[in-house]
Amino acid sequence: MASPIRSVPLTTSPRALRAAHTTALITLTAGALLTVTTLAAPARAATPPAVASSVTSPSQAAAAPTVAAKGALLLDDASGATVFEKDADTGRRMASTTKIMTAAVVLDARNLDLDREVTVQQAYRDYVAANGTSTADLRTGDRLTVRQLLYATMLPSGSDATYALADTYGTGATREARTASFIAKMNTKAAELGLADTVFASFDGIGADTTTPRDLAKLAQHAMDNATFRTIVKATSHKSTAPAANGGTRTYTWYNTNQLLGSYDGVTGIKTGTSTPAGLCLVFAATRGDKTVVGVVLNSTNQYADAAALLDYGFGTSTAKTMKLRQLPAGAQRD
């Protein structure tokens, strides 16, 4: 049986406030110039494989959409009601959508200082090169703030930035121990959020990290309760400067790999993910008027078309028919 969908009890979050209302009624200066650009109703039992189901409202006249994703879910954010589901409780690989949890663990840390500086280690660049992962092209010896590392994690999906966060917020005498500790924190947070079908094996999604659409939607709702997270994931690009290794200043520019953002009106995030085992994955959220929906597609062949179809269904619109995807600059990361 599917586990019930429930909102995270943070009463100051926009979602909680809406729910309450509903129920009550990244140049070198110092001589040189260098710019680095890289470029409710309770949830129901899982439906049979490849069969989609939905909970509709009277305003939804259209038939439930057909999606290519092997697993999908769309939730009404305020009430937690299931609007659409397809194998929403089947565990699947999640690729870089794992980084939502990385960000959540950092943002939930006690006495968090977003302006804390972290020195980029060569090990972070070596990790990207060894694993062929997406990168924020962080330069060894540069000092970036935690806030900048969160942008570098969530926009270009930089595993170098994600490694830096895990190394900083894990505990232990060695880098290996600290990253292992951080992954353990990710799993502890999953348990706290009731994500019974989610297991994290890496800090960036290159491991055998698995989840279900329902669990991933719950995680997304929790992350979106944080104002810093919301600000980061809704940005199509981000440019900032950091102290460089030679004492100068480096400018970093990152572009959001989520092409649904800026293409479908109302989309506010959240994260892409792509790997051979996972297929194309996307976690997304959108608001139109006073309605917000959160969705997940896992192992798709066209994640943006799937997401747009689900959003049209949720909002009772036909935007997907004319949607043109925001194009990424040449050299920008794809994930």
Side-chain angles (χ1 to χ4, degrees), residues 244-270:
N246 72 341
T249 300
R250 197 184 312 276
T251 298
Y252 286 94
T253 303
W254 300 299
Y255 296 91
N256 200 320
T257 60
N258 178 9
Q259 291 176 264
L260 192 67
L261 191 70
S263 302
Y264 189 103
D265 184 41
V267 169
T268 57
I270 299 175

Side-chain angles (χ1 to χ4, degrees), residues 14-251:
R15 172 163 52 89
L17 289 173
R18 288 195 300 272
H21 174 75
T22 300
T23 56
L25 202 276
I26 187 203
T27 163
L28 286 170
T29 60
L33 178 65
L34 174 63
T35 297
V36 176
T37 302
T38 59
L39 292 180
R44 299 170 297 153
T47 54
V51 176
S53 65
S54 61
V55 176
T56 60
S57 67
S59 63
Q60 292 170 325
T66 299
V67 296
K70 292 184 178 179
L73 183 73
L74 187 71
L75 297 179
D76 181 284
D77 188 50
S79 68
T82 300
V83 179
F84 176 96
E85 64 180 281
K86 176 182 177 182
D87 284 349
D89 300 292
T90 298
R92 301 187 187 281
R93 299 285 279 270
M94 60 195 296
S96 286
T97 64
T98 290
K99 292 168 180 166
I100 299 172
M101 179 60 92
T102 305
V105 169
V106 171
L107 288 166
D108 287 348
R110 290 184 179 179
N111 302 316
L112 175 66
D113 180 3
L114 290 169
D115 296 321
R116 173 183 179 181
E117 288 188 342
V118 176
T119 301
V120 177
Q121 305 296 313
Q122 182 62 36
Y124 308 156
R125 293 179 59 87
D126 292 344
Y127 176 86
V128 167
N131 293 284
T133 64
S134 49
T135 179
D137 199 18
L138 304 183
R139 300 306 178 92
T140 302
D142 286 4
R143 303 193 310 276
L144 282 79
T145 67
V146 171
R147 189 190 308 274
Q148 289 172 314
L149 290 173
L150 287 166
Y151 273 99
T153 291
M154 300 305 295
L155 271 64
S157 198
S159 286
D160 43 358
T162 316
Y163 195 170
L165 290 170
D167 191 18
T168 299
Y169 285 92
T171 58
T174 65
R175 187 170 291 115
E176 292 75 13
R178 291 190 293 272
T179 53
S181 164
F182 188 86
I183 295 166
K185 291 182 180 182
M186 295 167 71
N187 284 302
T188 297
K189 178 66 68 176
E192 291 173 356
L193 296 176
L195 312 185
D197 298 312
T198 298
V199 177
F200 293 103
S202 70
F203 50 75
D204 62 347
I206 71 164
D209 309 81
T210 57
T211 192
T212 66
R214 199 177 309 280
D215 275 7
L216 197 48
K218 290 182 186 179
L219 172 58
Q221 288 184 300
H222 171 77
M224 290 293 277
D225 280 337
N226 184 285
T228 298
F229 184 89
R230 291 196 306 274
T231 297
I232 290 170
V233 298
K234 73 178 181 182
T236 56
S237 65
H238 182 72
K239 182 177 182 178
S240 61
T241 59
N246 72 341
T249 300
R250 197 184 312 276
T251 298

